[in-house]
Amino acid sequence: MADFKQLVFSGVQPTGNLHLGNYLGAIVKFVELQKSHDCIYCVVDLHAITVPQDPRQLTSSIREVTAAFIACGIDPKAHIIFNQSQVPEHAELAWVFNCVARLGWLNRMTQFKEKAGKDRENASVGLYAYPALMAADILVYRATHVPVGEDQKQHLELSRDIAQKFNNDFSEWIARTGFGDAFFPLPEPLIQGPATRVMSLRDGTKKMSKSDPSDYSRINLTDDADAIAKKVRKAKTDPEPLPSEEVGLKPRPEADNLVGIYAALSGSSKSAVLRDFGGAQFSTFKSALVDLSVTRLGPIGAEMKKLTGDPVYIDSVLADGSERAGQIARKTMDAVKDILGFIRH
Ligand code: TYM
């Protein structure tokens, strides 16, 4: 396959309550990858409207995710931060991909089944077609690497299938247009480390999520030290002390989750955490986890508050990022139109 320039792309939905799962599963990696790659990070507002949104709330959520990116350490000058709706090529390429993806592929998507629930007839067409838009987000930049949490793995596989089918279906025209044997790279998911699936603090078998009705199920990036301490102390555990080896966590989802969170926050591994805390009671471990969480998350929450207080600055970051992202996306879209045989004026 053709050689593609390495480029990182990822997105976060502006649907309120950014939490520790988003931070450890995705944003921490976004920050790390800036050192080694060119990165594009997107506030995916078009994805947000696949379920009903209050427009005023959506505006402030878009600014909040942008603020979180910056507060966590993403540099909007060296890299790109923007909101999806301002680069129309995302929606344009998504239409092309709607015509490439097969119904059978989308029917397998577990997230659609979960989100649509029992009333599937009443789900929006957008919610169903969502993975094709996600593929367009990545491929409109011909991005090669995508840091995400475990829950996005299936969508990433679909993106690869779409890229592959486009490359195959149009191989002759791709070659004639001068793009060699493949126009799109097959984007690689980056799903690594001890917290690729952070679980609810109330139930270790359920994913930590923005939409859980209990605020005690998650630590929000905007929580203050008191709220963090309360939530960690109330987190569900079992009566046994912590094991000394990782295998001892297997049948204990709540213990496994808290140890994974500690490992990710401290930049170590579960086995290293258990070397320090094996045999300890949860009360001791939870106190250490509160201290670590407050140290790591406190400054982020404070910075987010400061940044969201200056919407003019936030909007200027998004405008600048959208302009730069748009320049790349337009080039891809022009090439796609040539490959498809459309007439450009
Ligand atoms: P979203 O907005 O639900 O979540 C943003 C990122 O956070 C990760 N994440 C988690 N990681 C670990 N544990 C959890 N409990 C947890 N909850 C969420 C997600 O895996 C994700 O990486 N469809 C995507 C957004 C998107 C996208 C893209 C991502 C749209 N286009 C293109 C990558 C590339 C979503 O809904 O993420």
Side-chain angles (χ1 to χ4, degrees), residues 9-13 19 21-22 25-26 44 47 130 134 137-138 146-149 151-152 195-198 207-208 210:
F9 180 94
S10 198
V12 174
Q13 289 202 55
H19 53 69
N22 302 128
V44 291
H47 277 91
Y130 173 123
M134 187 163 154
D137 297 339
I138 301 163
V146 186
V148 283
D151 62 337
Q152 295 301 319
T196 55
R197 188 174 177 83
V198 177
K207 194 180 70 173
M208 183 177 284
K210 293 168 187 165

